[in-house]
Amino acid sequence: MAKDSKDTDTDAGILREPAELQFRAQLDALKQHDADTPPSAWKLSPRSVLAYITGTAKPLDLTINGKKTQVAITRKFFGDDTIVERAIVTLASERALLLVGEPGTGKSWLSEHLAAAISGCSTLTIQGTAGTTEDQIKYSWNVARVIAEGPKPENMIPSPTMIAMKTGALLRFEEITRCVPDVQDALVSILSDKNMVVPELPDANMVFARPGFNVIATANSRDQGVNELSAALKRRFNYVHIPIVADQKTEIAIVRDRSKELLERYKIPAKIEEPVIAMLATVFREMRAGTTADGISFQKVSTTLSTAEAIGVALDSAIRARYFGNGAVSIEEIARNLVGSVVKEDLDDLKVLKEYLAVVAKKRGAKDASWKTFHDAALKAVTSAS
Ligand SMILES: Nc1ncnc2c1ncn2[C@@H]1O[C@H](COP(=O)(O)OP(=O)(O)O)[C@@H](O)[C@H]1O
Ligand SMILES: [Mg+2]
């Protein structure tokens, strides 16, 4: 099998390569097999972009310098494929894309892979914060050179937006609702007129966007109230809602695949057995919902128990098992780490967890040894936390 760069370049000294490098072999293979015409300036056709993100059943042949190898196209984003389809269609249209959802539902992850597959570049990114300025969205100047030579195009420091416009690439705008409204509004003219005016330049004071330019923004629905998008900006985005993964099987698959990949990256040879992952996913799912499949209800926790949190618990448990245990991730390990993840800022969540242990885990423990192990370890951790 042809290797993605993650298998060959891990000693290059980069902790985390952008998707377009990490999955280069997959992107190249899809390009060689692309039967459709990509929209102008896209690296792949929409069908191939979808295949890159949702994976293919069979590996594809990849020919490099006459040598043929096989590349498996892995699934990157788990969930409803029509969500991905709608996102791709939006990016091929006039409108920009806004991925909204709870934290940890894979919005940034999906945005990175979309940009990698469509533009071959996922690093033109603006991270929205309360301190993001209009300069960071548009451009700034090399002040020393402007004093010496006056404002000239060469003395300009372009923003990721400007580079994306000039090269016809996708701009990623993370956490857009954290930016103050005035700053967000800098995007309105860029999105509607597809150009940026640079009034300081005497002539050629317009930067025009090339075909292929568009914006993928993400926003957390929990932060919505912080700085909601203005009506003008809302109109220029298609909203695609990313839900928390709906079914148990999918959630298990995400935790399994992602933690395996992360453990490889940190070169930690720990394996998490399927039943342990299934237990973790079950507890997360039930605590999130406040009910169990067999009809027991209890209070819901106030923190988001996203899939990303579950991956975090799996990873921490594996690291601990590797360095302080025997390498195998046990249910006890998972139980201990889970307590910290459930009980963050709100101590009331500790009560909820106790209730869950008492009404759900204990009962199951009477019949099932793994649940008993889980119950005992979690109760011990809860008691020492309170
Ligand atoms: N549906 C999903 N498919 C694949 N990975 C997911 C999914 N949901 C969460 N993840 C994983 O969770 C982690 C955090 O996701 P991220 O994109 O940072 O969340 P968000 O931006 O929505 O807060 C990533 O490692 C990602 O791989
Ligand atoms: Mg994010």
Side-chain angles (χ1 to χ4, degrees):
M1 282 235 175
K3 302 216 161 189
D4 279 313
S5 74
K6 73 166 187 240
D7 298 319
T8 49
D9 294 348
T10 33
D11 292 325
I14 297 175
L15 183 56
R16 184 183 186 283
E17 290 180 311
E20 60 274 21
L21 293 182
Q22 200 186 337
F23 297 96
R24 192 170 42 199
Q26 296 189 22
L27 290 166
D28 288 348
L30 282 161
K31 197 174 174 71
Q32 288 181 5
H33 287 266
D34 213 340
D36 242 348
T37 327
S40 56
W42 282 31
K43 301 281 183 211
L44 294 174
S45 69
R47 210 182 280 279
S48 298
V49 174
L50 183 67
Y52 169 73
I53 290 179
T54 58
T56 56
K58 284 197 210 109
L60 298 181
D61 289 334
L62 169 67
T63 317
I64 305 170
N65 301 329
K67 246 183 72 193
K68 213 183 203 177
T69 47
Q70 288 215 306
V71 184
I73 311 296
T74 52
R75 182 178 268 274
K76 318 294 180 309
F77 181 77
F78 290 81
D80 191 350
D81 291 356
T82 55
I83 292 178
V84 184
E85 230 177 82
R86 273 181 44 223
I88 297 170
V89 169
T90 299
L91 289 172
S93 79
E94 272 286 281
R95 281 167 161 243
L97 171 66
L98 182 64
L99 303 173
V100 252
E102 302 247 315
T105 45
K107 299 180 297 297
S108 305
W109 175 251
L110 177 59
S111 142
E112 175 177 355
H113 284 291
L114 283 170
I118 292 172
S119 307
C121 171
S122 64
T123 51
L124 293 171
T125 305
I126 296 173
Q127 183 68 49
T129 67
T132 304
T133 59
E134 195 168 333
D135 291 4
Q136 287 163 353
I137 296 182
K138 293 184 154 178
Y139 56 87
S140 53
W141 296 96
N142 179 331
V143 177
R145 289 184 53 177
V146 171
I147 291 170
E149 301 168 2
K152 290 189 195 172
E154 311 86 270
N155 299 342
M156 198 176 211
I157 304 169
S159 66
T161 320
M162 193 176 259
I163 299 172
M165 290 172 84
K166 284 183 171 172
T167 56
L170 288 178
L171 169 74
R172 295 176 52 206
F173 203 132
E174 289 285 300
E175 306 290 356
I176 192 169
T177 46
R178 297 231 178 114
C179 298
V180 294
D182 286 359
V183 171
Q184 290 179 12
D185 282 345
L187 272 181
V188 173
S189 66
I190 294 171
L191 289 179
S192 51
D193 308 335
K194 312 286 182 201
N195 65 35
M196 197 193 287
V197 185
V198 185
E200 296 93 329
L201 287 178
D203 34 51
N205 59 2
M206 257 317 195
V207 174
F208 296 98
R210 285 182 177 272
F213 169 73
N214 208 334
V215 178
I216 312 178
T218 65
N220 277 322
S221 40
R222 293 226 167 189
D223 288 350
Q224 271 278 313
V226 179
N227 288 304
E228 228 193 312
L229 293 193
S230 67
L233 203 51
K234 260 189 195 154
R235 206 158 54 73
R236 282 158 179 105
F237 278 101
N238 267 352
Y239 282 48
V240 172
H241 181 251
I242 310 286
I244 288 190
V245 178
D247 74 299
Q248 165 104 5
K249 258 209 199 120
T250 312
E251 190 157 28
I252 293 176
I254 302 175
V255 177
R256 188 204 311 120
D257 287 14
R258 292 289 297 139
S259 53
K260 183 162 167 267
E261 206 179 298
L262 289 163
L263 287 170
E264 275 166 15
R265 190 190 299 161
Y266 290 96
K267 296 201 162 76
I268 292 172
K271 193 173 172 337
I272 315 177
E273 298 295 338
E274 197 75 12
V276 178
I277 293 184
M279 164 91 67
L280 172 64
T282 306
V283 177
F284 260 67
R285 168 160 307 272
E286 293 178 341
M287 297 227 49
R288 195 186 286 150
T291 58
T292 66
D294 37 358
I296 308 173
S297 315
F298 46 93
Q299 226 185 313
K300 269 197 225 175
V301 284
S302 64
T303 22
T304 9
L305 288 176
S306 62
T307 313
E309 295 282 344
I311 298 171
V313 171
L315 201 64
D316 287 353
S317 308
I319 294 175
R320 192 169 184 287
R322 161 69 183 81
Y323 291 120
F324 296 109
N326 62 2
V329 180
S330 60
I331 287 184
E332 284 101 329
E333 206 73 78
I334 293 280
R336 258 200 298 273
N337 276 296
L338 188 133
V339 174
S341 187
V342 173
V343 186
K344 284 208 201 79
E345 69 270 32
D346 191 351
L347 275 180
D348 280 348
D349 285 346
L350 202 60
K351 282 191 213 127
V352 184
L353 184 55
K354 274 187 186 155
E355 189 189 348
Y356 177 81
L357 291 177
V359 303
V360 182
K362 192 164 180 196
K363 216 164 125 202
R364 287 183 191 157
K367 288 192 210 116
D368 181 333
S370 350
W371 276 99
K372 175 152 177 37
T373 313
F374 175 79
H375 171 266
D376 295 351
L379 192 65
K380 209 168 131 200
V382 166
T383 319
S384 61
S386 51

